[in-house]
Amino acid sequence: MNRPIRVMSIVCLMLFVALLLGVNYIQFVDADTLNAKNGNRRVIDEQFARERGPILVGDRPIAESVPVDDVWKFQRRYPEGKLYSDITGYFSYTYGRSGLEQSQNSILSGSDNRLFVNRVVDLIGSNQPRGGSVSVTINRKAQRAAAEGLDGLPGDAKGAAVAIDPSTGAILAMTGTPTYNPNVLASHKLSAVTEAWDRLNADEDQPMLNRSTQQTLPPGSTFKIVTAAAAMENLDLTPSSKVKGGSALSAPGFGSYQLVNQGGGNCGGKNITLTQALEVSCNVTFGDLSMKVGQAAMQAQADAFGFGTRPIEQVASNPSQFTGDPDAELDPPQLAQSGIGQFEVSATPLQMAMATGAIANGGALMKPYLVSTVRSPDLKTIETAKPEKIRDAISGGTAAGLSQMMVDVVDNGTGSSAAISGVEVGGKTGTAQSTSDRPPYAWFVSFAPADDPKVAVAVVVESSSTGRDDISGGRLAGPIARSVMEAVIGR
């Protein structure tokens, strides 16, 4: 055999080996990734033709597949579409998946490796593979209370509410307004699906945005619980410690700028207790404390509560932030503004519920989760969620003191709208300024019962038809938080 033929033989052999390696890599190593991609038509056709497993609240489906007489055999249906759209997401032939339909797709579609035995049994019996079921942590009464509270706001309101179990991190409610009906995207009438998709994405109110986990907004005075925690941890303050009050804060580096209180008050005097400062939501106090704690320690405290990281992976989420650039040094006015939840501070409702829950839970920050139980098609339990502590965000002593301060806010201060007869409730109001051409954001965070917390809530009202001067966290968001807490604790 002459040399050119030998070279050609070696090249062909190498190409053949590369082809074998590539085919095996695609079929075995990369198969799951390729199958999970949105837009994979072969996989979508196969999945549309099988019975996809349900997503359940208790024993009732919030997403299910029902038989239909068309080429795909099964239709995805959402019995209470708008109420749970932030949780279920959608399952669309044209636009893929979102929410739990995406993150739990392998179980719901029946392709999960843990369902291998079920697939073999179905194959032997000449049956189509079926998907497993996913049960979620949502409290049905709390979810409805949150949705009805948001829907009851005046005008074309925008906002969100989320509730968690402080001791486990289980999400008990998660909803926002405006929202959408995922049934319009799951339809088998593909032209109608395209029209609905275009309409929803063109809507400037962003109804498909999960406002509880994706929308980051300035948290305003609700962030003062983080500033208070940082001051108690770093400056050895207690609820009875004397702090700066008064009607305005000025300091070297402020120039002509002064940080003033909402409504121009003096917070009850020039020297007040930390408890009183939280009760009346004194901007002067918390701006001053933020500067005394310092940027690095303030950043560290925010991070300890979960800022800077995605809070949950089971649905789309965005991280909250203390500053836009942690490496940039804030000047004194910027740091003071940050201490009251303004300047570049931004947070999701879920993040603020997590921080509130950690305070109620003795300082322990729990990882939030939506999926409680995963079962096979024959109802055998495959996986049960186990609560996971992320870290101790604050010490137990700080948590106990701050919890009592938040109870005082509801009993004696700005949070009275969240009071529940016969139950100690902790809370904090927030009214965050935005731009001059739009109204402030109204926030409320709370937990109950204070002696054995079962629920922590965060509510934000982005906008409503309420007059600018009448917007406050206590007036707009507080009653919604109260109704959610009442639903969880059975009042």
Side-chain angles (χ1 to χ4, degrees):
M1 183 181 297
N2 59 37
R3 187 171 181 278
I5 295 176
R6 285 198 303 272
V7 171
M8 183 62 69
S9 299
I10 293 172
V11 170
C12 290
L13 179 62
M14 292 174 64
L15 291 173
F16 185 70
V17 170
L19 178 62
L20 285 176
L21 291 173
V23 168
N24 279 275
Y25 181 85
I26 291 172
Q27 289 184 336
F28 295 100
V29 178
D30 208 30
D32 290 342
T33 301
L34 293 173
N35 284 336
K37 280 188 175 181
N38 273 330
N40 187 328
R41 292 294 173 223
R42 181 185 62 79
V43 173
I44 290 174
D45 279 330
E46 180 185 354
Q47 290 181 359
F48 258 64
R50 82 173 54 160
E51 186 176 359
R52 190 173 177 84
I55 301 174
L56 304 166
V57 173
D59 58 356
R60 294 170 60 181
I62 58 174
E64 61 183 343
S65 291
V66 296
V68 292
D69 187 18
D70 65 24
V71 66
W72 287 302
K73 300 180 182 178
F74 289 95
Q75 168 73 58
R76 199 60 168 167
R77 186 171 73 95
Y78 303 90
E80 299 174 90
K82 287 189 174 183
L83 182 60
Y84 294 102
S85 60
D86 285 343
I87 297 162
T88 62
Y90 57 80
F91 180 59
S92 168
Y93 182 84
T94 308
Y95 299 106
R97 306 170 294 265
S98 69
L100 292 184
E101 292 280 28
Q102 168 62 15
S103 67
Q104 306 302 306
N105 181 63
S106 63
I107 284 291
L108 296 171
S109 67
S111 62
D112 193 283
N113 290 333
R114 292 171 292 181
L115 299 179
F116 176 75
V117 173
N118 296 86
R119 292 202 300 272
V120 171
V121 171
D122 288 333
L123 181 63
I124 293 174
S126 300
N127 298 317
Q128 276 283 352
R130 295 175 298 155
S133 64
V134 171
S135 294
V136 297
T137 57
I138 295 297
N139 179 305
R140 183 175 290 275
K141 290 182 179 179
Q143 181 78 0
R144 189 164 293 282
E148 289 177 353
L150 292 169
D151 289 344
L153 292 168
D156 296 326
K158 294 197 288 286
V162 60
I164 64 173
D165 182 333
S167 65
T168 66
I171 295 176
L172 305 176
M174 176 185 287
T175 189
T177 188
T179 186
Y180 73 104
N181 187 344
N183 286 296
V184 301
L185 300 180
S187 171
H188 291 181
K189 297 179 180 179
L190 301 187
S191 60
V193 170
T194 300
E195 291 176 5
W197 177 267
D198 291 342
R199 182 178 66 256
L200 289 168
N201 282 277
D203 191 332
E204 61 181 14
D205 288 336
Q206 297 180 284
M208 296 176 69
L209 181 73
N210 186 332
R211 286 178 154 79
S212 295
T213 62
Q214 292 179 281
Q215 179 87 305
T216 59
L217 298 170
S221 292
T222 59
F223 189 78
K224 290 173 182 173
I225 62 175
V226 178
T227 304
M232 295 171 77
E233 293 278 280
N234 292 277
L235 304 177
D236 294 326
L237 298 186
T238 67
S240 59
S241 294
K242 291 292 187 177
V243 293
K244 181 178 177 60
S247 58
L249 175 65
S250 59
F254 271 45
S256 61
Y257 171 78
Q258 287 189 320
L259 179 63
V260 298
N261 300 307
Q262 186 79 10
N266 70 350
C267 302
K270 291 185 177 181
N271 291 288
I272 58 177
T273 65
L274 185 58
T275 295
Q276 183 178 346
L278 198 68
E279 284 178 2
V280 300
S281 198
C282 187
N283 288 345
V284 170
T285 299
F286 291 97
D288 181 62
L289 289 177
S290 181
M291 292 191 296
K292 287 179 177 176
V293 170
Q295 180 179 344
M298 285 293 296
Q299 179 74 64
Q301 185 61 76
D303 290 348
F305 277 118
F307 281 67
T309 58
R310 287 183 58 199
I312 189 171
E313 297 176 354
Q314 294 168 342
V315 292
S317 64
N318 289 318
S320 302
Q321 65 176 36
F322 176 67
T323 64
D325 180 3
D327 296 325
E329 184 175 354
L330 302 181
D331 63 30
Q334 292 170 343
L335 186 52
Q337 284 280 335
S338 299
I340 64 170
Q342 296 280 176
F343 189 53
E344 293 179 334
V345 181
S346 64
T348 62
L350 177 57
Q351 174 59 71
M352 294 311 298
M354 290 169 61
T356 304
I359 293 167
N361 193 40
L365 180 71
M366 304 302 291
K367 185 178 179 63
Y369 63 96
L370 268 168
V371 176
S372 59
T373 309
V374 173
R375 294 184 176 88
S376 65
D378 55 4
L379 301 183
K380 291 180 180 178
T381 299
I382 297 174
E383 181 181 341
T384 301
K386 296 179 180 179
E388 177 184 344
K389 184 173 82 170
I390 300 174
R391 69 180 69 86
D392 288 320
I394 49 178
S395 68
T398 296
L402 190 47
S403 293
Q404 184 57 53
M405 290 163 59
M406 293 177 70
V407 170
D408 291 337
V409 169
V410 174
D411 288 347
N412 309 312
T414 59
S416 60
S417 62
I420 301 173
S421 178
V423 178
E424 274 198 330
V425 176
K428 183 68 191 80
T429 58
T431 305
Q433 301 300 320
S434 179
T435 58
S436 59
D437 60 348
R438 62 147 289 120
Y441 304 116
W443 284 82
F444 198 90
V445 296
S446 59
F447 61 87
D451 58 347
D452 184 21
K454 302 297 184 185
V455 58
V457 184
V459 179
V460 62
V461 178
E462 294 177 50
S463 64
S464 69
S465 63
T466 308
R468 189 183 187 95
D469 293 339
D470 294 325
I471 293 174
S472 70
R475 184 176 290 111
L476 293 179
I480 300 173
R482 182 188 65 232
S483 66
V484 174
M485 291 186 293
E486 288 175 333
V488 174
I489 64 177
R491 297 301 294 248

